[in-house]
Amino acid sequence: MDKVNILGVNVDMVNIGEAADMILDFFDGEGLHSVFTPNSEIIMAAYRDSAFCDVLNRSDLLTADGIGVVYASKILKKPIKERAAGYDIACRVLERINGSAHKLFLFGGKPGAAEKAAENLLKTYPKLNIAGMRNGYFKKDEEEEIVAQINASDADIIFVCLGAPKQEMWIDKYREKLNAKVAMGIGGSLDVFAGTAERAPDFFCNHGLEWLYRLYKEPQRIGRMMDLPKFAVTVFFKGKKFKQSE
Ligand code: UDP
């Protein structure tokens, strides 16, 4: 699979359909496969923190969640065709496993969010096999118990929605202990499934302006969003120093 090295993070050059195909193949593989969907903020965090960068690069699939990452790939002359956001990939996978034996575990969000998400998901995918759920607020000493709960549910795929970088670190930490085949770190998607957060309207998504809509809805994100211009400038001036695979 072709990858583009964006400030040290090796992003897979896949679209939504190709990412979903890979995830379906992971069900037949050995061990847990991790799927992360970095946006510009996450890549900037990895650029600053080499341990986090290693966690991302150890994953089995890294897709470009955000138009900033797609533009960066173009600047680096290895263009990713389209944005492959975690939410869209998750929906594509759910369509494909609806009615199959594959079981889903929803992990994350505030108390009650996973239950609400499960209720809504069953309206859209009535034959979905939801094996269990757990909110995303826990103490360190509860983590082993959560792993045991997920394993006891016999889930094949886990949506881990703790926000970045917590979800990526958590999946990486427990990848040897989890019996599922796939763990996807898909942050705020759970709240979209629960109906407590909205996706940006198509106009904003199609014009690369989802960040603007999010800023309007959640102005407290302004600090984190300052990473967007920093990301663009860093890719422009330093991006070519990172070696691309042939
Ligand atoms: N979240 C959680 N545990 C935590 C922190 C956050 O379950 O310790 C949940 C939060 O309730 C929300 C989701 O993680 O449902 C995503 O949070 P955020 O929007 O900050 O992350 P992003 O999607 O922007 O990475």
Side-chain angles (χ1 to χ4, degrees):
M1 186 52 66
D2 219 356
K3 292 174 188 278
V4 51
N5 182 340
I6 304 178
L7 304 181
V9 178
N10 294 311
V11 180
D12 288 282
M13 299 170 70
V14 291
N15 62 24
I16 298 163
E18 289 161 343
D21 286 344
M22 283 178 73
I23 293 168
L24 267 284
D25 286 345
F26 292 158
F27 285 122
D28 300 321
E30 281 298 314
L32 184 87
H33 299 76
S34 53
V35 181
F36 302 138
T37 67
N39 58 16
S40 339
E41 288 166 27
I42 295 178
I43 295 185
M44 274 313 275
Y47 177 67
R48 295 186 188 111
D49 175 353
S50 63
F52 182 48
C53 188
D54 291 344
V55 166
L56 294 182
N57 286 334
R58 268 200 292 277
S59 75
D60 300 279
L61 176 60
L62 271 187
T63 72
D65 189 336
I67 202 69
V69 183
V70 174
Y71 283 143
S73 74
K74 290 186 178 152
I75 292 173
L76 299 170
K77 304 273 188 299
K78 282 194 100 177
I80 295 172
K81 282 169 273 178
E82 63 176 27
R83 177 176 176 230
Y87 175 81
D88 295 312
I89 298 169
C91 290
R92 200 67 70 89
V93 170
L94 292 174
E95 268 165 36
R96 308 256 308 255
I97 64 170
N98 184 25
S100 78
H102 296 309
K103 294 185 193 157
L104 169 71
F105 194 101
L106 298 169
F107 173 35
K110 298 202 176 84
E115 285 76 1
K116 190 73 200 147
E119 193 184 313
N120 288 341
L121 285 175
L122 286 171
K123 286 183 196 147
T124 316
Y125 312 100
K127 292 186 188 147
L128 195 62
N129 216 329
I130 301 180
M133 57 209 89
R134 169 71 165 79
N135 74 66
Y137 293 84
F138 49 86
K139 298 197 197 83
K140 232 177 172 39
D141 62 8
E142 290 175 299
E143 292 188 8
E144 295 283 344
E145 187 190 308
I146 294 172
V147 171
Q149 183 191 348
I150 296 172
N151 285 343
S153 78
D154 207 21
D156 304 283
I157 176 165
I158 317 161
F159 286 174
V160 183
C161 305
L162 307 174
K166 196 171 179 181
Q167 60 203 10
E168 289 80 6
M169 303 299 274
W170 195 88
I171 293 171
D172 186 67
K173 183 171 173 191
Y174 290 107
R175 63 178 302 149
E176 301 296 331
K177 292 193 174 174
L178 289 163
N179 296 338
K181 292 293 176 69
V182 182
M184 293 180 68
I186 52 169
S189 298
L190 190 104
D191 295 326
V192 180
F193 292 134
T196 50
E198 288 166 42
R199 283 205 96 197
D202 286 349
F203 172 84
F204 289 87
C205 291
N206 296 340
H207 290 81
L209 293 172
E210 196 179 1
W211 60 273
L212 185 63
Y213 183 80
R214 264 197 115 169
L215 189 59
Y216 163 68
K217 283 285 188 181
E218 300 170 68
Q220 70 278 13
R221 295 178 78 94
I222 184 76
R224 285 172 65 175
M225 283 199 172
M226 288 318 288
D227 268 348
L228 272 163
K230 283 187 203 154
F231 174 74
V233 171
T234 313
V235 171
F236 194 80
F237 288 106
K238 305 226 172 106
K240 296 203 174 71
K241 291 186 186 150
F242 291 84
K243 202 170 164 348
Q244 300 298 334
S245 54
E246 293 307 317

